[in-house]
Amino acid sequence: TGQDDIQFNSKEIVTTQQLNESLGVSASAQMSAGFGSASASASFAKSLDIQEYSLFYVVTASLSSQGKKLRDVKLKPEYVSLLKSKAPDRFKRFRLLCGDGYISEFVEGAEFKAVVRVDTKSRDERQSLSGSLSVSASAASASADFQSKVARISTGRQVTISSFRRGGNGQPIAVTAVDVAKQAGDLPALAKSGPVPTHMVIFSYLL
């Protein structure tokens, strides 16, 4: 897997709701979700503050591949007996105990997210710079474009970058635009050395 397989996006956000959505934090599951991802993202989101005269961009880069797959899945004898019983509520009871489906496969990989904050001195200055850091392309080309855009917008302004990563070992330290680009470019190696589940495939019982 090469750097061209990574999609690199930089999106402007103007509200806390947009921030939570961009970081994958829902209103109903801000502090808990599968694999701990929403919990970590929620803590990251809570540490950030949307201010009136600041520009905010969420930068994301992710890489996924097929993970563990369950084979020869069989129901436990007690659940088979329940389905074969004459009880009129057997399907309802089965769904209550086992749900509507089972996890058949995990999608694994790595994900990197950063929030770039650019402080401006007025609403007019903020509006004039709106969209100046937006990028969406493969990491090979977009990360270089992102670096040059941050360099231009940083002249005479304070730029702060916070980062969050799932997958790989250790914690990311993204202080500059160059660090952000490097973290995105390192995702293939991180996904290989320490992959984490990012999605799961659920098959229906067809009841």
Side-chain angles (χ1 to χ4, degrees), residues 72 135 151 162-163 167 199:
D72 301 323
V135 174
S162 305
S163 64
H199 302 83

Side-chain angles (χ1 to χ4, degrees), residues 59-170:
V59 180
T60 61
S62 60
L63 183 68
S64 299
S65 61
Q66 187 177 29
K68 297 177 181 178
K69 199 169 188 177
L70 300 180
R71 300 181 183 278
D72 301 323
V73 178
K74 295 181 180 179
L75 287 174
K76 290 184 176 180
E78 58 265 35
Y79 300 133
V80 174
S81 298
L82 173 61
L83 291 174
K84 289 182 177 180
S85 71
K86 301 295 184 179
D89 65 340
R90 60 188 183 278
F91 295 133
K92 181 179 179 180
R93 288 174 58 194
F94 180 86
R95 287 194 177 96
L96 182 63
L97 294 169
C98 303
D100 292 322
Y102 63 93
I103 299 173
S104 65
E105 181 182 331
F106 288 111
V107 177
E108 297 182 334
E111 179 182 52
F112 172 77
K113 295 186 178 183
V115 176
V116 181
R117 169 179 162 178
V118 182
D119 293 334
T120 63
K121 297 180 177 63
S122 68
R123 186 179 290 106
D124 289 341
E125 182 185 6
R126 183 189 183 285
Q127 291 177 345
S128 70
L129 295 173
S130 179
S132 55
L133 292 182
S134 296
V135 174
S136 180
S138 65
S141 59
S143 58
D145 185 26
F146 175 77
Q147 288 183 55
S148 64
K149 287 184 175 182
V150 171
R152 286 196 299 269
I153 205 173
S154 298
T155 304
R157 302 181 184 90
Q158 180 174 339
V159 176
T160 307
I161 298 178
S162 305
S163 64
F164 164 77
R165 189 187 72 217
R166 287 194 297 147
N169 299 313

Side-chain angles (χ1 to χ4, degrees), residues 17-35:
Q17 181 181 351
Q18 288 179 334
L19 174 64
N20 288 338
E21 291 173 353
S22 297
L23 296 178
V25 182
S26 67
S28 61
Q30 285 197 0
M31 297 309 294
S32 63
F35 321 124

Side-chain angles (χ1 to χ4, degrees), residues 5 12 21 37 41 45 51-53 56 99 101 112 115-116 119 126 142 157 168-169 178 180 186-187 192:
D5 298 320
E12 184 177 357
E21 291 173 353
S37 59
S41 293
Q51 297 186 6
E52 185 178 8
Y53 292 158
F56 282 84
F112 172 77
V115 176
V116 181
D119 293 334
R126 183 189 183 285
R157 302 181 184 90
N169 299 313
V178 175
V180 170
D186 286 346
L187 277 182
K192 184 176 181 180

